[in-house]
Amino acid sequence: MWWALLACADEDPVSLAPSAAALAAPEDWAPVADDPLPDAPPADRDCPAATWGPEAGALEVQTGACAWFAAAQPAKVALHVGDTVEATVWHGDLDAAAPGEGHVALWVGDAVLWETWVPIPHDAAVYPVSVTVDRDWPAGTPVGVHLHNHGFNSWSVDAVWRVTQ
């Protein structure tokens, strides 16, 4: 009977499994002066090294002393039409002296792949990112993260992955 099951299998199940490769690693982010997002950064933007960096496998940004953050790194692998970019973004409870709004985004090259605006105050939240790309980008294309927020808050972005079918 097992031979009937083998005879009916048209596809190799291993070849149908998605594969993941790191597109951007938490320890490889480097601040960029030219934030490609349309929001204008403040003239006095400053993010001391102690306010951002890798923490427990993710990029963490402390916004009390770093209210506007933009960083990038070269893509470790190429992206092709139909690939999925996946990551997880999260923040602790968001609070500030006055209500406001936080903005976080991920981009590749000249395209914003994902972004969200979060009202402040706001309870802690997790944002799973899964975006199918509609164009090709070669390895080495800048991959970036943008964050602006006011108040003493904490945001994190884990590794950014390319998933292919």
Side-chain angles (χ1 to χ4, degrees), residues 99-120:
E101 188 173 57
H103 178 215
V104 62
L106 298 175
W107 79 83
V108 174
D110 60 356
V112 174
L113 294 183
W114 176 88
E115 64 186 330
T116 192
W117 287 264
V118 180
I120 299 171

Side-chain angles (χ1 to χ4, degrees), residues 55-113:
E55 179 70 32
L59 166 67
E60 182 178 57
V61 180
Q62 299 290 327
T63 62
C66 181
W68 194 286
F69 180 78
Q73 63 182 277
K76 297 183 179 324
V77 294
L79 284 170
H80 301 288
V81 172
D83 288 349
T84 302
V85 173
E86 295 185 355
T88 304
V89 176
W90 67 94
H91 58 74
D93 290 340
L94 301 180
D95 200 8
E101 188 173 57
H103 178 215
V104 62
L106 298 175
W107 79 83
V108 174
D110 60 356
V112 174
L113 294 183

Side-chain angles (χ1 to χ4, degrees), residues 25-57:
E27 63 275 6
D28 292 339
W29 294 110
V32 293
D34 296 326
D35 188 336
L37 281 116
D39 302 323
D44 63 348
R45 175 177 91 169
D46 183 30
C47 287
T51 63
W52 67 273
E55 179 70 32

